[in-house]
Amino acid sequence: MASSNSTLASTMAPIMDTSSVAMDAADDADVLLKHWNTRLANLFLPLNVLFILTTCIGFIGNIVVCIVYKFCMKGKINDRFFIPLLAVIDAMVCLIGPIISLILSIRPVTFYGNAICKVSIFVFRVMLNSSVLLMLVIATQRYRKVCNLFKGTYDLKRCKIDAGISIGVAILMAVPNLIFFGEIPIVDTIKNTTVIGHRCGLRTEESDVLHNAIYAYQVLCFIVVVGIVFALIVMYSLVGKKIYVQAKKVESSRTSSMASASESDSQVRSSTGTIGNGKLTLKMPETRSYKASESESSSKQSMVKSNGVRGLRLLRGPSSPVSPSTPYSPTSSMSKPHFKQKRAKSVSRRYTLLFMAISTFFVLSYLPTLLANIISKNMWDSASFWTENSDYEKTLYTYLFFTYFINHVANPFFYGFFDSSFRRKIVKTCRCNCMEYRFGK
């Protein structure tokens, strides 16, 4: 009996040793995985601060823009239709994108959750694609309106249709991300130990078919973004040229009208002096008898003395010339509909300059992202990015890749700079809130 127990003990000893070794190896792998995740997360600490600022400033700023343009601006103007919609989409981009990126930078190799990964990436790509496509729709609208490419009006119904089409296309473009993204394993060897982490990224290493499909999809998206950037540059260049030509025409016509007005004014009001035989003689523009004019002026003076300014206005009549002391009104020399038309053109030109500035900054902020995708053989969402690149390459690529967030944060500042009505509403609201805080309602 004793011999059998010793035999059993000798048989179980190697098994227990093997299991204990496996448990020790698993514990070592977990410890190495935590150290690996901590080291990668420390690389992106400054980027995490930028993500937090992007979420706070971008989301709050775009929500304020949406509220002001949607509920505080009076009148239905087609030029302002896209601003609240674009502000809502930019607010969602600033809320969803930085939060996802912040989580992925804090847990670069310890992210778990396949469904959360798919849904969050899908929603973010829908918002991002909608923002980019709306920029193209806005550029097309401004190009048609300023350059008069097509006849007909670009009414509110057409704006809604184009916005709906752009959002629908954005959803279709984001659908493949539900298949391509998911929880992926990241395998690396650290201190002769195989460490397996997980991340929300592209499933490029599951099969060759899926890898080729993801590659083709990325190339297609890259071509689309480059095409949109090129279209924005071309259309806004033509719009800027048209606005410059119109401004030069307006300036030249204004100069000529001022010159003709001053010439006619000098002909009516000034008198010319000629010297003959040593005496100064005056030539008056109107030839009336001196007695009649003298009696007429004396009667006018007596009426002015008796009735004051009102009598002077009655004496002038509707056809009398305005005195030099009378202030000039812009509506006095043009009809009311013509003045409204000129004001509408001025508002349209101001919004065109606003959208030109936003699109220019959009192009500049997306160029580093495109450059990062060109120079890097591995993308931020692939598993090979975290195992094959050095720390310097990871950091450089990541900072270049996420510059496009700046575009969605900066849009509210462009609205405040170019739109005086928006600035007045913000100042008025802040002033009223400050007064209520200090003195009560």
Side-chain angles (χ1 to χ4, degrees), residues 64-198:
V64 169
V65 169
C66 178
I67 293 174
V68 171
Y69 276 98
K70 186 66 178 178
F71 302 104
C72 299
M73 294 290 189
K74 296 181 180 180
K76 296 182 179 179
I77 300 178
N78 297 341
D79 298 315
R80 290 201 299 255
F81 170 77
F82 290 105
I83 294 180
L85 181 60
L86 186 62
V88 171
I89 294 175
D90 286 338
M92 297 304 295
V93 171
C94 293
L95 179 65
I96 300 174
I99 290 178
I100 297 174
S101 303
L102 181 64
I103 295 173
L104 293 179
S105 61
I106 294 175
R107 305 176 68 93
V109 290
T110 57
F111 180 89
Y112 303 98
N114 189 48
I116 297 175
C117 173
K118 289 179 177 292
V119 174
S120 58
I121 293 296
F122 171 74
V123 175
F124 172 66
R125 290 299 174 88
V126 169
M127 295 295 107
L128 190 63
N129 295 339
S130 299
S131 178
V132 175
L133 291 175
L134 273 179
M135 298 297 296
L136 180 62
V137 171
I138 293 171
T140 306
Q141 182 212 24
R142 308 320 300 176
Y143 177 61
R144 290 183 57 178
K145 192 165 187 176
V146 175
C147 298
N148 297 322
L149 182 62
F150 301 110
K151 300 298 181 182
T153 58
Y154 201 93
D155 55 0
L156 189 61
K157 182 179 179 180
R158 182 60 186 273
C159 293
K160 293 180 179 179
I161 292 174
D162 289 347
I165 292 174
S166 62
I167 294 175
V169 173
I171 294 174
L172 291 177
M173 290 178 62
V175 167
N177 292 287
L178 293 172
I179 303 173
F180 296 154
F181 277 84
E183 182 186 321
I184 59 173
I186 301 179
V187 183
D188 198 7
T189 302
I190 304 174
K191 295 182 180 180
N192 297 324
T193 303
T194 301
V195 181
I196 302 176
H198 291 83

Side-chain angles (χ1 to χ4, degrees), residues 41-62:
N42 290 333
L43 295 176
F44 307 116
L45 285 178
L47 189 65
N48 295 338
V49 176
L50 293 179
F51 286 149
I52 295 173
L53 292 177
T54 299
T55 302
C56 296
I57 299 175
F59 180 76
I60 296 174
N62 283 289

Side-chain angles (χ1 to χ4, degrees), residues 173-232:
M173 290 178 62
V175 167
N177 292 287
L178 293 172
I179 303 173
F180 296 154
F181 277 84
E183 182 186 321
I184 59 173
I186 301 179
V187 183
D188 198 7
T189 302
I190 304 174
K191 295 182 180 180
N192 297 324
T193 303
T194 301
V195 181
I196 302 176
H198 291 83
R199 179 175 178 81
C200 177
L202 291 168
R203 301 161 55 194
T204 54
E205 299 180 0
E206 292 190 7
S207 65
D208 293 336
V209 176
L210 192 60
H211 176 77
N212 294 331
I214 292 174
Y215 180 76
Y217 175 74
Q218 290 175 342
V219 171
L220 179 61
C221 292
F222 182 80
I223 293 174
V224 170
V225 173
V226 172
I228 291 175
V229 169
F230 181 75
L232 291 176

Side-chain angles (χ1 to χ4, degrees), residues 39-51 54 97-98 100-108 124 199 365-382 384-387 389-406:
R39 184 178 61 83
L40 292 176
N42 290 333
L43 295 176
F44 307 116
L45 285 178
L47 189 65
N48 295 338
V49 176
L50 293 179
F51 286 149
T54 299
I100 297 174
S101 303
L102 181 64
I103 295 173
L104 293 179
S105 61
I106 294 175
R107 305 176 68 93
F124 172 66
R199 179 175 178 81
S365 63
Y366 266 75
L367 284 179
T369 302
L370 297 176
L371 180 64
N373 290 329
I374 291 174
I375 64 176
S376 178
K377 61 180 180 179
N378 299 313
M379 295 193 65
W380 199 67
D381 298 315
S382 63
S384 57
F385 176 84
W386 303 96
T387 56
N389 291 331
S390 64
D391 291 344
Y392 174 76
E393 291 173 342
K394 293 186 186 76
T395 307
L396 178 62
Y397 174 86
T398 304
Y399 281 96
L400 288 176
F401 183 77
F402 286 104
T403 54
Y404 67 88
F405 278 132
I406 304 175

